[in-house]
Amino acid sequence: MPGTENRLMLLDTASLYFRAFFGVPDSIKAPDGTPVNAVRGLLDFIARLTTDRGPSRLVACLDADWRPAFRVELLPSYKAHRLANAARNIEEVPAALEAQIPVILEVLTALGIAHIGVKGFEADDVIGTLATRDKGPVDVVTGDRDLFQLVDDDRGVRILYTARGVGRHEVVDETVVTTKYGIPGRSYADFATLRGDPSDGLPGVAGVGDKTAGTLITRFGSIDGLLAAVDDPEAELSPTLRRKIADARDYLAVAPTVVKVRHDVPLPDYDDTLPQAPADPEALVELANRWGLDSSLNRVLNAFNPDPA
């Protein structure tokens, strides 16, 4: 039941609406024939997650800048393969999905769900700031492993990882990170920096995969500790690995800042309380009628206000 322990749920909104767009048939259309599979799918995800996890607070976090300048300046390859227009820094997004994003924002507003995007920052940075400032507990909903870096058992920050589907999401805490990757639970960012991530244009250190990255982070504690070991002839580091890390020194000087989510995003005023009633009922009815969203919106409203019986 929602509202049982002041739990905050943070949605990686783009991750969810991309999953909805590609997972829900495009035969789901508005009365005028416009596809609304991403809108309907996202709403159904919100209803399911709210029912399953019972947050009392909810924020939909947005990419106001999907490829921020501060990251690109440090690492020009960052997300470069996803550019539809390099001159304008525009992401390649299917036209049928792009047309649904404004509808998603209108629906969130009419429902009264807080949604936050901050110019110059990704949704990950908004999530990082909210998660680290909150007193907890916090659930971060995402299909992106990058956010594993936020897990914090002491503060109750965990990831609801949706790679296998929203209904089959995996709860990721420090123990799960350690079990999966053989690293301390809060060391994911340094681990990911070493291993790299082609989906984000992060090359990593050549010849260093998951196993080696995990061993190095466990042994030396951090990227800084590893670089210090490269310069220490007594450090327990094979000649081959010593050379690989030394060759990647320029990359390792900038990549941690690219990989680590920000915790200092200037946030606007917001109310993260799970809405007990729509903020704008008339607008919601109009949106429901125009886009054929009745059933999905009813599921959300019922999830926010479950039958006490």
Side-chain angles (χ1 to χ4, degrees):
M1 178 177 177
T4 56
E5 56 175 336
N6 201 35
R7 181 173 296 278
L8 171 62
M9 178 174 284
L10 302 175
L11 305 179
D12 181 358
T13 312
S15 170
L16 291 172
Y17 65 59
F18 266 94
R19 172 170 288 277
F21 178 76
F22 288 108
V24 177
D26 60 9
S27 57
I28 304 297
K29 297 181 178 180
D32 68 358
T34 303
V36 288
N37 52 334
V39 184
R40 291 261 300 267
L42 176 63
L43 291 172
D44 289 344
F45 290 164
I46 291 172
R48 177 69 181 268
L49 289 160
T50 303
T51 299
D52 288 353
R53 294 297 169 185
S56 56
R57 298 175 294 139
L58 178 65
V59 180
C61 303
L62 305 167
D63 285 320
D65 189 338
W66 72 285
R67 191 170 178 257
F70 74 89
R71 289 193 168 100
V72 176
E73 287 169 2
L74 292 172
L75 196 66
S77 65
Y78 182 65
K79 295 186 178 179
H81 60 294
R82 300 191 212 169
L83 284 165
N85 185 315
R88 297 173 59 194
N89 197 38
I90 295 175
E91 184 179 14
E92 189 171 22
V93 178
L97 171 56
E98 190 169 19
Q100 296 181 61
I101 296 173
V103 181
I104 288 170
L105 297 179
E106 288 184 77
V107 171
L108 293 175
T109 299
L111 280 168
I113 297 174
H115 50 92
I116 302 175
V118 179
K119 184 177 180 180
F121 298 96
E122 298 178 59
D124 286 7
D125 301 309
V126 174
I127 290 170
T129 301
L130 288 167
T132 54
R133 289 183 184 177
D134 200 81
K135 295 180 180 179
V138 179
D139 284 342
V140 176
V141 183
T142 184
D144 187 350
R145 291 182 300 175
D146 292 348
L147 290 172
F148 286 7
Q149 65 185 273
L150 293 175
V151 296
D152 186 332
D153 289 357
D154 291 342
R155 299 181 55 257
V157 180
R158 61 188 187 177
I159 307 301
L160 306 186
Y161 185 49
T162 61
R164 293 183 298 178
V166 171
R168 296 188 299 147
H169 64 260
E170 178 183 12
V171 179
V172 176
D173 57 13
E174 290 185 40
T175 300
V176 172
V177 170
T178 298
T179 301
K180 280 179 176 288
Y181 304 110
I183 58 175
R186 300 185 198 177
S187 298
Y188 188 83
D190 281 346
F191 166 80
T193 298
L194 287 177
R195 180 198 60 195
D197 186 348
S199 69
D200 279 340
L202 297 170
V205 175
V208 173
D210 281 19
K211 185 176 181 180
T212 302
T215 299
L216 292 172
I217 291 302
T218 300
R219 182 177 301 163
F220 299 109
S222 65
I223 297 293
D224 288 341
L226 176 58
L227 289 172
V230 171
D231 296 329
D232 178 2
E234 301 300 318
E236 187 183 349
L237 198 60
S238 71
T240 299
L241 277 175
R242 192 181 296 271
R243 185 184 69 253
K244 288 178 178 178
I245 302 302
D247 288 346
R249 203 179 277 274
D250 288 347
Y251 164 76
L252 293 174
V254 298
T257 302
V258 175
V259 172
K260 290 177 181 176
V261 301
R262 297 282 289 267
H263 299 170
D264 60 349
V265 173
L267 300 174
D269 293 334
Y270 64 95
D271 179 0
D272 61 11
T273 305
L274 194 75
Q276 298 303 296
D280 190 337
E282 290 184 7
L284 196 62
V285 169
E286 183 180 344
L287 288 164
N289 292 337
R290 179 178 179 185
W291 301 109
L293 304 176
D294 282 320
S295 59
S296 292
L297 284 171
N298 283 333
R299 280 190 284 273
V300 171
L301 295 171
N302 288 335
F304 287 2
N305 292 278
D307 186 339

